[in-house]
Amino acid sequence: MLNRVLLNVKRFKQEPACCAIAAVASMAHFFNTDVLYKDVKKLTKESFSDYVEGEGLYTSQQCRLLNKLGFDRVTVITSNLELVDFTWSKLSKPKLLGRMKKLKAYYGRIKYQSEVKDMIEWLENSDCDNKLIIDGDFAKYIRRSLNKGYPVIAAVNWTKMFRFRKGKPVDGDIKGDPEYHAFVIRGYDEEGVFVVDSHHRFYTGKRSKFKKGYYKISWEKFLTNSTGDLILL
């Protein structure tokens, strides 16, 4: 196993709530330098009729964008227990889809239903070899992908990792919700992972060292704050 990998991944600065778009752009640009942030932003608006700026994207929507950009084999590693159960990890794809459809029906109209529905539709895309793997050993998949020369998209609890207030100063500690953030992992060594972070507006003061978008997070801090999904090519 390699002890250190560091790939040359371009960083795009995001607009508010567009971290998923920027992460897809960085990933796609690594393989095709013609792909830029503005292209992925345009593709997002064309692909999702209900897309609203400021609301972000589901993991499966990020994967849809990668499919549309020509990546026909996309894999999601998840430990998101609102979406799956670990007892499903050995199921065949048809049986996994069956369990997810039952979950969608159970959720009814509450907020998680649309996320499950979109993941099902993405997995059922017969034009691509898309996969969903249920596993919590993120470090294994990160190392394996980077050793092959492929970056990884990951999601973290941004509020927790950087100790931000949950919402606006007036009511953030009571009514605010934590924010989740997608970025690209471009490398690793024994101590941690090297990331490409599109956020920039709120990295001020003691957090200003993160503003340039390239920094390192310890394995412990990353694995504690990861929110359930990796996207691999």
Side-chain angles (χ1 to χ4, degrees):
M1 180 181 294
L2 300 178
N3 292 322
R4 188 177 192 271
V5 175
L6 192 61
L7 305 178
N8 184 18
V9 177
K10 183 175 177 60
R11 184 251 192 150
F12 295 100
K13 291 183 179 181
Q14 70 170 84
E15 297 161 283
C18 289
C19 59
I21 292 172
V24 169
S26 288
M27 177 78 94
H29 182 87
F30 178 79
F31 296 96
N32 178 0
T33 56
D34 290 335
V35 178
L36 302 175
Y37 173 87
K38 64 179 182 179
D39 303 318
V40 180
K41 180 82 178 290
K42 180 181 179 183
L43 180 62
T44 302
K45 292 180 177 179
E46 294 172 347
S47 301
F48 309 121
S49 59
D50 58 348
Y51 171 68
V52 178
E53 289 193 52
E55 293 189 357
L57 298 176
Y58 299 138
T59 294
S60 54
Q61 290 176 319
Q62 288 180 271
C63 295
R64 286 175 184 271
L65 294 175
L66 288 166
N67 286 157
K68 288 177 178 291
L69 288 165
F71 302 98
D72 58 4
R73 298 181 66 186
V74 179
T75 298
V76 172
I77 313 299
T78 190
S79 60
N80 181 356
L81 296 182
E82 292 162 353
L83 182 70
V84 298
D85 188 89
F86 280 111
T87 62
W88 304 353
S89 62
K90 301 298 183 183
L91 295 179
S92 65
K93 190 172 183 178
K95 289 184 178 180
L96 173 61
L97 284 166
R99 299 305 293 170
M100 294 183 72
K101 288 175 182 178
K102 288 184 178 181
L103 180 67
K104 179 173 72 74
Y106 167 74
Y107 276 147
R109 294 182 178 275
I110 65 175
K111 64 178 182 178
Y112 300 123
Q113 190 207 46
S114 57
E115 182 179 1
V116 177
K117 179 176 181 290
D118 197 81
M119 180 63 78
I120 291 169
E121 292 176 356
W122 172 71
L123 284 170
E124 288 183 326
N125 180 0
S126 60
D127 294 329
C128 297
D129 183 18
N130 296 324
K131 295 181 180 179
L132 179 67
I133 295 175
I134 303 166
D135 198 346
D137 189 357
F138 284 7
K140 176 180 72 175
Y141 293 99
I142 290 169
R143 291 187 179 102
R144 183 183 296 172
S145 183
L146 289 166
N147 288 349
K148 293 178 180 178
Y150 293 171
V152 176
I153 293 177
V156 296
N157 186 325
W158 191 68
T159 304
K160 180 181 176 183
M161 179 173 286
F162 294 100
R163 302 177 70 86
F164 281 108
R165 182 186 292 269
K166 287 192 293 184
K168 295 179 180 179
V170 174
D171 58 9
D173 59 335
I174 301 298
K175 299 179 182 179
D177 293 317
E179 293 187 30
Y180 299 93
H181 185 43
F183 55 48
V184 176
I185 299 177
R186 71 183 186 115
Y188 77 89
D189 61 16
E190 293 181 358
E191 285 77 38
V193 293
F194 297 90
V195 307
V196 182
D197 186 346
S198 59
H199 235 314
H200 56 99
R201 297 186 180 188
F202 301 107
Y203 291 145
T204 59
K206 64 182 180 181
R207 304 184 187 98
S208 60
K209 62 183 178 180
F210 304 113
K211 192 169 185 176
K212 291 184 179 180
Y214 292 95
Y215 54 86
K216 184 179 177 181
I217 304 172
S218 70
W219 281 110
E220 292 81 2
K221 189 171 185 178
F222 170 75
L223 294 173
T224 298
N225 292 286
S226 59
T227 59
D229 295 323
L230 300 176
I231 300 175
L232 313 178
L233 298 179

